[in-house]
Amino acid sequence: MTDKVDYRSTLNLPDTPFPMRGDLPKREPGWVKDWNAHGLYKKLREHRKGAPLFVLHYGPPYATGKVHIGHALNKVLKDMIVKSKQLGGFDAQYIPGWDCHGLPIENAIEKLHGRNLSRDDMQAKSRAFATEQIDQQREDFKRLGVLGDWERPYRTMDPANEGGQIRAFKRVIERGFVYRGLKPVYWCFDCGSSLAEFEIEYADKKSDTLDVAFEAADKQALLQAFLPGNLADHPSATLVASRLEAKKAFVVIWTTTAWTIPANQALNAHPELTYALVDTPRGLLVLADTLVEKCLERYGTTGTVIATTNGKQLAGLNFKHPLYDVHPG
């Protein structure tokens, strides 16, 4: 029987101070504390002074609520980019910030203090709440290991920041980029506040399609668009005139948003497409020339094309709103 061989002593293994276990929940707070105590971020800036600048344009989070997995994913990914640029030789600065305005903060205040607060009271409470949330989130972001200028963040509620926005807006106006026009503004009846487009949550909706007839306000003008010149000299003048006298004329549109009809103010025709004036038992209909057969089949009727014209000739014609005789409005 041979002696037992100690193979461990035959291996030339390196000696390392690294522990066998990561034990990160206990060790990470110590790293972060050490970074802060030694001013690591400031030293990195000094080391890269004069190097090409890398700026991460940062979309700030709302100053509401505790940090969640969405915050963590956002912050860690951006921190990886900044640190990789730092290692690549750039002066990679990271200036954190917070969005202190908007509906989320107002909703949080209403949950804490109720509704119907005065404007001054709402603003004061919102500012205090945002300040508290920023302090809490800042510590959580530091705990994630994110390096940045945490002592000098930007906040949208800071007077200097608001003043900068106004000055920038002034320059935009002076360059002629601001004009008055019509644009839908999303409004929350429950909150009593306007909404940004990204705050809208859309539900899936299956809508019915709708063919809508707009009666011609001036049949003679419509006829001239299809049969220009002196109607008496036109071969079909007698036939057309008799039909127009007995029947109403309509332009027919197709829509998937029937609920917008009450607000309809204009009809669009492509200037280069061909449109047909079709005689049907339901009246004279203006339809796209290539869709006459399909439309008549869908309407369950028959018809005869009297004349055609391009959309340019229909410009300026007036038509009655389909609901004009339902309500004075």
Side-chain angles (χ1 to χ4, degrees):
M1 184 174 179
T2 60
D3 294 336
K4 188 175 181 179
V5 179
D6 182 13
Y7 290 104
R8 180 183 180 89
S9 62
T10 67
L11 298 177
N12 185 20
L13 296 176
D15 185 21
T16 173
F18 287 109
M20 294 297 293
R21 298 174 60 86
D23 207 14
L24 296 181
K26 294 181 180 179
R27 300 179 65 206
E28 283 179 347
W31 295 343
V32 173
K33 184 178 180 181
D34 187 62
W35 295 347
N36 293 333
H38 290 85
L40 178 60
Y41 181 79
K42 185 177 180 180
K43 289 181 178 180
L44 290 173
R45 299 284 62 75
E46 293 173 351
H47 186 68
R48 285 287 186 263
K49 187 175 182 180
L53 185 65
F54 174 79
V55 178
L56 177 72
H57 292 282
Y58 173 61
Y62 279 119
T64 54
K66 295 182 178 180
V67 170
H68 51 69
I69 191 64
H71 289 116
L73 177 63
N74 185 295
K75 284 292 183 298
V76 170
L77 289 177
K78 291 177 179 177
D79 185 56
M80 289 169 61
I81 293 172
V82 174
K83 287 176 179 174
S84 68
K85 291 296 182 179
Q86 176 78 20
L87 292 173
F90 288 86
D91 181 7
Q93 302 179 17
Y94 171 58
I95 311 299
W98 278 271
D99 187 347
C100 309
H101 298 88
L103 193 59
I105 293 179
E106 294 175 9
N107 284 338
I109 294 302
E110 288 184 346
K111 290 178 181 178
L112 292 172
H113 303 284
R115 294 192 170 189
N116 302 318
L117 297 174
S118 67
R119 183 191 65 181
D120 292 345
D121 196 21
M122 170 63 80
Q123 290 181 349
K125 284 182 168 55
S126 295
R127 180 176 291 273
F129 177 78
T131 301
E132 176 186 325
Q133 296 300 306
I134 288 172
D135 291 339
Q136 174 182 294
Q137 290 188 4
R138 175 164 40 202
E139 295 308 309
D140 290 340
F141 292 150
K142 287 182 181 179
R143 176 62 183 83
L144 291 174
V146 178
L147 288 178
D149 193 355
W150 293 108
E151 304 309 315
R152 295 187 302 169
Y154 71 89
R155 309 183 306 172
T156 60
M157 66 180 180
D158 290 337
N161 189 287
E162 293 176 331
Q165 291 182 11
I166 294 174
R167 285 189 290 272
F169 186 52
K170 175 178 177 289
R171 291 195 294 271
V172 172
I173 293 176
E174 290 173 343
R175 295 174 185 177
F177 296 134
V178 178
Y179 59 92
R180 173 173 288 183
L182 297 177
K183 186 175 189 275
V185 176
Y186 300 98
W187 182 262
C188 175
F189 289 96
D190 182 61
C191 304
S193 175
S194 59
L195 299 173
E197 188 166 356
F198 76 89
E199 293 175 319
I200 307 297
E201 295 183 6
Y202 293 94
D204 292 334
K205 185 180 187 302
K206 188 175 181 180
S207 301
D208 294 326
T209 62
L210 194 67
D211 293 87
V212 186
F214 290 73
E215 183 183 350
D218 186 346
K219 291 188 293 184
Q220 189 67 21
L222 178 64
L223 183 59
Q224 282 290 334
F226 282 93
L227 303 167
N230 190 346
L231 292 180
D233 297 334
H234 198 281
S236 304
T238 303
L239 175 63
V240 172
S242 63
R243 288 175 176 174
L244 272 177
E245 185 176 347
K247 296 180 179 180
K248 295 181 179 180
F250 304 88
V251 63
V252 184
I253 63 101
W254 179 83
T255 181
T256 58
T257 56
W259 58 88
T260 64
I261 292 297
N264 185 279
Q265 297 186 42
L267 301 173
N268 295 321
H270 195 294
E272 299 177 4
L273 294 184
T274 302
Y275 294 85
L277 182 65
V278 187
D279 179 27
T280 76
R282 298 189 179 188
L284 294 161
L285 306 181
V286 177
L287 304 170
D289 184 52
T290 56
L291 298 176
V292 170
E293 292 184 8
K294 290 183 178 180
C295 288
L296 293 179
E297 182 180 356
R298 189 161 72 247
Y299 304 157
T301 187
T302 58
T304 303
V305 176
I306 296 176
T308 60
T309 190
N310 59 35
K312 187 184 298 183
Q313 303 303 319
L314 302 177
L317 294 179
N318 293 320
F319 295 86
K320 298 178 182 179
H321 193 281
L323 303 178
Y324 79 97
D325 58 350
V326 176
H327 189 275

